[in-house]
Amino acid sequence: MENLITINNQYNSLDQLHNALKTNTNFSCTKEYDIWEQRIDNNGNLAQCLVLKKNNMHAIKLFFINENTLKANHIIPNKIMQAYFGKSEKAYQNVIEMITGKIKAAVLEPAQKKAFNEIEAEVVKVVS
């Protein structure tokens, strides 16, 4: 699950956005390195993003695509839970991994979608 969010000019940096979300939402907001996609910034370092966390299973990751557009992705913020329940990045999977992946997606997807929409609505309310 992902979505693009257009923001006001006053929130055009991660620090300004972090301060606004930290004070105006009910969720935990942290500035972290993007270990989920391992994006690289202009200096060749690991890029940073904001993580708006509802609980250990539901959060969204926010990062800038351009100066007025944020990209929001659903993530699992807990590293151990991400290993078990996150999307597999393997190029080849055996039959058991494919079957358990489909079952996992069917069971977790409704709760993830609900949490994503709830957190995204808070972000839109603050930055638009």
Side-chain angles (χ1 to χ4, degrees):
M1 288 164 273
E2 63 184 38
N3 202 0
L4 298 178
I5 301 170
T6 304
I7 62 169
N8 291 333
N9 286 336
Q10 70 189 53
Y11 302 118
N12 63 356
S13 76
L14 278 182
D15 292 327
Q16 292 169 338
L17 186 61
H18 180 241
N19 290 334
L21 292 174
K22 193 166 50 170
T23 57
N24 296 323
T25 63
N26 297 326
F27 302 112
S28 168
C29 184
T30 58
K31 187 174 171 183
E32 300 181 17
Y33 289 103
D34 192 355
I35 59 166
W36 295 273
E37 288 183 40
Q38 298 178 350
R39 294 176 305 107
I40 304 297
D41 65 8
N42 294 336
N43 299 327
N45 299 326
L46 198 57
Q48 291 188 324
C49 62
L50 294 181
V51 175
L52 212 59
K53 180 176 162 182
K54 181 175 181 179
N55 55 35
N56 281 338
M57 281 296 289
H58 303 294
I60 62 171
K61 173 183 70 161
L62 300 168
F63 60 93
F64 283 97
I65 293 180
N66 59 40
E67 67 181 39
N68 290 334
T69 306
L70 285 174
K71 185 173 185 180
N73 290 340
H74 179 273
I75 59 167
I76 300 173
N78 185 305
K79 309 309 187 264
I80 295 170
M81 296 297 224
Q82 173 69 21
Y84 286 111
F85 298 112
K87 184 178 176 185
S88 176
E89 300 296 331
K90 291 172 64 175
Y92 299 102
Q93 295 178 336
N94 64 35
V95 175
I96 294 173
E97 289 173 329
M98 290 189 316
I99 292 170
T100 56
K102 296 294 182 188
I103 293 170
K104 192 169 35 174
V107 171
L108 292 176
E109 191 168 334
Q112 288 176 339
K113 184 138 183 85
K114 180 181 175 193
F116 177 80
N117 290 336
E118 183 180 337
I119 299 169
E120 182 190 29
E122 287 269 336
V123 172
V124 170
K125 185 171 64 173
V126 171
V127 299
S128 296

